[in-house]
Every structure is written in structure tokens, then in C-alpha cells.
């Protein structure tokens, strides 16, 4: 009848070293340039241990000594920074008519960001795998020319992705029960790095958590602003996916039983009343046409067109209801609006915040702020790369070559 | 710009030992009776280390040897079980007109469960502190007679409790900005154990997670079924409170803009349309009267009264909408209905499950089941004791006396 709430593994001495390597790596990530003495002082590890760990990280080319020294009392200290020049982490986002690829180095600096057209819902899963594999091969080849080892690849997909990486359903892509990770690894012919698949909203949340304007916020919810709306939920510093990995489906929470019909067949879903489709004058066609329409909406709003301003305020109020659900249930520090919400944020945000505060039982919305993403269109792909860096930071270090 | 997603402390050798003591303690909790060899085989720790750790746990009287031995090939092994006879963990729940106290031993066996009347909303915070202190003193005194050391005390309160344990608002108790933990520690005159304060729904969820029919489920949401409805959210094995600790306020999520007025002044809140008040024929008076009314409702339902069955199905459908919000957003394995929902569960559950499945975008509700709590009226108090055991299990062991 009694079970434990957590089940950490025992810490044997090999684990101690791996844990401490990760601790030192993260310290350098956050505090570079820094000296071995700084690391010892802040982590509580003794100096001999720190020297040994740093030597190991230098061997792996994760950390390097700079020419710089810091003059302290006593002899000058050699300063350390992240190296990572021999590494790259790759993230890919698959969407209806494009695929985006991003590569970053160990420090998170962007090495490339590519966008290519994609077969989309008319193509088969096989075609999709081939298209993704093609762009990944080109990224890997580019990285090889820079003599970088690929640390891993994460592919983001708009849909329900199980905890095992299987795509259960991606409605806009027409996929069902697709083993994308397995098929992709096969198409890449055993590439020598891990291939993972993840929900796109989860990846965008990871990108915000590592690279965005709210980086490091422990409790953060990202809302994708596409025709569909999904949430990436970070609580206590980690993505929370739920039991099967299907969490974050905020788009089909009913906000208004009398609201517009949703693509899912229900009525008044958040997606139907507060998704970007509710802003468009026409039934959405291709994403390219959506962008053109939204440019026009933003132009009218800037010009003070009353009908447009009223529409954006109404969509903002509906979205605020959705944010209130999140604020009441999860009490995040911040909700970040992404995708097509970003260019409309100046007109949406006041209504969103006002409505959300009025509907949250904790005073001042429980401290929850609402902001627009600053990461741009490749947030999910960038999050794929962030997920690879997360696994390095938690101790899965590349082997010494 | 770059920050890390997690910030574990470095593992020095004292930490290794504390971690391993906790690992062995949890192993014995889950697998007793078991031998030192079993522990070594399952944890990967070497036998000498296990012997040393077990000796330490025996010194602290957390583990003891039984007279039993197990005949294996080779010499017989002495079997170990949890001891804990010298310890007690205390949980208290404060509610509108009663206070409940529970004490358990290290193995989670209930030592006592008391319910006392309470000054309630008409009394001052000072009176409330005095009343809670009085029952706690009596529990501590009873434990002292049994020669048990108190490991800690957690008090559950129906309201917004900050991460620092301050009660921001407990509307039904009339409390605001109450430092209950501090005041209680003072009233108990530095009792020599930690005093913590926590939201009652969070504690009930912890009780379910450790002692309930769904114990050990990693993703579990508990819904209190009182006049107010709150949620305790466990994701990936831990309570998630959000940034300020105000998460779980599902009661004021709007399910129906045209629905009944809520005590909070808004309309169509879950609490108003799916709280236990929606089942009562009269405006709720005292909790004792609520119990009498609900007995009558259950009697009518058992007798097949059509109006009562219709009402319960309607409340079940509304509650199912709330469960769908949780299932879409968090994808838990199970939602547990507590409090007054329990006696009405036979009639509520079919409608709840049906509605929740129909409104969840993942097939079969994402695998989320809905069940009634089996823990009884003292779930939150029991959860207070569970929270104390959680901190022992995560390595805060009592000192050798």
C-alpha cells in the first residue's frame, strides 16, 4: 500500500563524477569567464576535485582556457569559458507547408536557421520522412565541414506525441501512429546521434526557457498562435507532458458553449474563438495567405480601424479566458504568446491581461504576466536544439573522441 | 541570456551517503521484508556499503532486523523491515467548523485520527491558532507517552497558501495574510520539529499518492468536493504549486457563461455548477446540515427518484467539463474525486467520464480515469503526515538521539 513519491537512483561514485561534471559545465555556462577557484567557492567542491573535473571537460572540448587571467590577491587565475566549437545540437520543426532546421553550438549560439517548403498534408508519411531526412542530412553535412560532432536531433511536430516519441495524431499533417523517430533514424542510416520527436509547443516552451526573454523562469506556459493553439507547460523548471505525453491541448478547452464551431466538431473551443482563425475575415487557406491577411489586419489596427480594433479586443478577451484557466490551475509566472499572436500582440495583450486578471481567483492574476515571444518563427526548431543541450547539461556528456 | 534548466547541487561525498541512506530506506519501505543482499542486488550498491548504510539506519531506529531469515543457497539472510516505532508524523486539516489531526508512524500506519469542532469563520486568527495548537499539543503529548519523536507537522488550509507557507486568503475561514506556521510555532513554544502549512487539496493529493487506491501514480489530480472545489496537482511524482503556490484553483474556472452565480461574484464557475452546492436543494447552511441533505440525496438516488438522478447526471456532466480541462491540459493518469463527491460517486461518475471523454482531444480521454477517493474524511490531514514522510524519504533523516 505504501509507495515512495520519488525514486532516485543510488549515487555511486561514477554517478558522483558524472553529476559533478554536469554541475561544473553548467556553472561555466552561467558564469563564464570564471576561474577554477570561482567554481570551487560556489559549488562547495574542493579545488583538487574541480581541477580534475575541469581537465576532463577540457579533454572533451566542452570547456577551454582563455588567454585571459584575473588578477587576484596571490597568483593570477586562468579563466575558463565554454568551448563547444566541436559540437552542434540540431532542432527541426515540421509544419503544414514548411520545415525549419536550426543548429546551435554548445553555448546556444545559432549556427544556422533554414526554412524549406514541405509536402504537407497531401504527402505520405514516407515523403515527409524523406523530406525531413534530406534537410537533416544537409545540416549534418554542413556541421561536418565545420568539424562539429552532432550531439543530437529533436524534431517538433504539431500533434499528440506520446512519451515514447510516437506521433499518435497530427491532424494538420494527416499523420496517425507514425514512428517518426524510428523511421528518421532508419532514413539517416544510423546517424550516431539520438533522434527524438516532441510536440512543437513543448519545444517552443523549452526554447523560451533557455533562450527567450523569460529564460530561466521556473513556471512558464507557451501558447502557439497558429490556426491550432497548443500549450507547452514548464513547471518547476521542466516540461510536464502528463501520463501519455498528451498534455498541453489547451486549444480544445471549451470557453463558450455558444461560441463558433471548431474544426474538431465541438463548439466554442479556445482554438475556434481565440485562435488566429478568429481574426481572419476569410476561411483560412494556405499559411502564406494567412500571413498576408494578418499583415493587413495589423495595418488596419495601426491605422485605428474601429472594426479591426474591436475584433482584436474580442479575440484578446477570449484568449484571456484561456489564460485565466492556466493561471487558476497552474499559477505560472508568465504566459508567452507565440506564432501569429506576436505581430498582433500590441492590440491583443491589453484585453488578454485585463480578462485574465478579472477571472483569476488569486489577486493580480496570481502574479502571472502575459508577454509576446521574441524568438521568431523558428522557436520550436530552436527548442529542439535546446532539448539536446538540456540532456548534455543534465549529464549526458559526449564521449572523448 | 543562456540559463540552465535545472540546478542540482554538486554531489559531494556526504551527499552521496545521505542520498544512499534515503535510497536504502525507500527500498526497505517498498520491499520489506528484504535482506541486505536484496538491497545490494537491486540498487547496484556494493554489499559493504549496504551493510554500513543499514547499520546507520538501524542506529537511527528507522530500520530493524526481524527474527526471520530467508533460506537461500548459502547461509540464511537476516530480513529487514521498517522500524519507525520511535517516530510519528503529524498532519492537521483546518476546516470551517472542524479540525482533524492524524498521526502516522514511519511506515504510514495510522496511530490516531481525531476530529474536533473549531471556532470557524466567526473566530479570530488568534483563536484559530490557539485551537490548532491545543489539538497539536495533545497529539504530541500522546506520541510522547508512546516514546515517539515527532518528525514534523503539516497543517492543511482551504485557501491560497504561498510557497513560503503564508495563508494569503482562506475565504471560508475569513483569514488574510496569516503567518499560520510562524504563529503556530510560537504557540507551540519552539516544538523541536518543522511546522509547515499547505493548501488542503495539495495535501489530499499527497495522501492519495502515498496511501490511496492510486498510490504511486506519477500524474494524478485530486478534486476536493466541498462547497468549494480545489485541485491538488501531482505531475511527474511531485505536487506542482506554480510560481507563488496558488495553482489548483479549478473551482473558479468558468464552465458556462450563462451558468449559476458563484460565491466569488462571477458566473458559471465550476464550483457554482459542479460543486456540491449544485446538488443541494437549499442554500448551504452548516457543513453538518450539508451532510444530512446529501444523505437524503443519496437515499433518493438509490430509490430511483427521477428528479434526483437527473440532477446528479447534470452535475456530473458539468464536473466532466472540468475534468476535460484537466485531461486536455495535463493528461493525468487519474482524477480522484474527494469529499462530498464520494458518497454521490455511483451516480456522478458515469456522467463525469462520458462528458470528459467526449471533450478530450486525445482518444479515450488520453487514458485519464476518474475514480472516487477511498481515504475518507481525513484525507487532507493524512496528506499532512504524508508530506512529513516525503521529506524523510528524500533524505532528511532524523538525527541519532
Amino acid at each position: 500500500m505504501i509507495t515512495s513519491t520519488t525514486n532516485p537512483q543510488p549515487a555511486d561514485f561514477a554517478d558522483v563524477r558524472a553529476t559533478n561534471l554536469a554541475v561544473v559545465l553548467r556553472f561555466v555556462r552561467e558564469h563564464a569567464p570564471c576561474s577554477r577557484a570561482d567554481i570551487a567557492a560556489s559549488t562547495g567542491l574542493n579545488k583538487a576535485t574541480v581541477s580534475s573535473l575541469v581537465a576532463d571537460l577540457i579533454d572533451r572540448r566542452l570547456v577551454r582556457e582563455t588567454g585571459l587571467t584575473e588578477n587576484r590577491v596571490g597568483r593570477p587565475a586562468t579563466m575558463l569559458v565554454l568551448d563547444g566549437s566541436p559540437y552542434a545540437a540540431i532542432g527541426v520543426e515540421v509544419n503544414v507547408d514548411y520545415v525549419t532546421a536550426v543548429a546551435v553550438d554548445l553555448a546556444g549560439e545559432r549556427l544556422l536557421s533554414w526554412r524549406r517548403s514541405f509536402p504537407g498534408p497531401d504527402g505520405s508519411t514516407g515523403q515527409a520522412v524523406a523530406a525531413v531526412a534530406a534537410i537533416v542530412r544537409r545540416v549534418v553535412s554542413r556541421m561536418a565541414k565545420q568539424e562539429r560532432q552532432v550531439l543530437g536531433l529533436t524534431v517538433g511536430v504539431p500533434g499528440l506525441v506520446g512519451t515514447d516519441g510516437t506521433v499518435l495524431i497530427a491532424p494538420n499533417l494527416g499523420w496517425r501512429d507514425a514512428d517518426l523517430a524510428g523511421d528518421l533514424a532508419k532514413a539517416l542510416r544510423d546517424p550516431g546521434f539520438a533522434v527524438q520527436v516532441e510536440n512543437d509547443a513543448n519545444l517552443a516552451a523549452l526554447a523560451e526557457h533557455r533562450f527567450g526573454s523569460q529564460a530561466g523562469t521556473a513556471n512558464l506556459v507557451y501558447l502557439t498562435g497558429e490556426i491550432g493553439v497548443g500549450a507547452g507547460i514548464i513547471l518547476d523548471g521542466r516540461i510536464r507532458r502528463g501520463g501519455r505525453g498528451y498534455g498541453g491541448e489547451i486549444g480544445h478547452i471549451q470557453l463558450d458553449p455558444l461560441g463558433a464551431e471548431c474544426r474538431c466538431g465541438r463548439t466554442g473551443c479556445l482554438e475556434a474563438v481565440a485562435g488566429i482563425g478568429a481574426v481572419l475575415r476569410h476561411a483560412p487557406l494556405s499559411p502564406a495567405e494567412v500571413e498576408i491577411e494578418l499583415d493587413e489586419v495589423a495595418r488596419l489596427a495601426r491605422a485605428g480601424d474601429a472594426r479591426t480594433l474591436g475584433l482584436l479586443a474580442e479575440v484578446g478577451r477570449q484568449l484571456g479566458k484561456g489564460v485565466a484557466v492556466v493561471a487558476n490551475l497552474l499559477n505560472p509566472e508568465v504566459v508567452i504568446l507565440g506564432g501569429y499572436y506576436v505581430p498582433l500582440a500590441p492590440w491583443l495583450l491589453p484585453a488578454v491581461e485585463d480578462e485574465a486578471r478579472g477571472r483569476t481567483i488569486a489577486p493580480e492574476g496570481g502574479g502571472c504576466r502575459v508577454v509576446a515571444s521574441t524568438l521568431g518563427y523558428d522557436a520550436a526548431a530552436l527548442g529542439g536544439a535546446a532539448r539536446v543541450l538540456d540532456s548534455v547539461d543534465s549529464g549526458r556528456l559526449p564521449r572523448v573522441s
Side-chain angles (χ1 to χ4, degrees), chain A residues 70 78 86 89 100 122 135 192 220 238 256:
Chain A
E70 189 185 46
T78 306
T100 310
D122 302 326
I135 195 167
L220 169 165
R238 302 241 166 201
D256 183 358

Side-chain angles (χ1 to χ4, degrees), chain A residues 18-19 22 25-26 210 238 389-397:
Chain A
T19 301
L25 182 65
R26 278 199 307 278
R210 184 177 275 267
R238 302 241 166 201
L389 294 184
D390 283 352
S391 69
V392 174
D393 279 357
S394 60
R396 289 203 192 167
L397 303 186

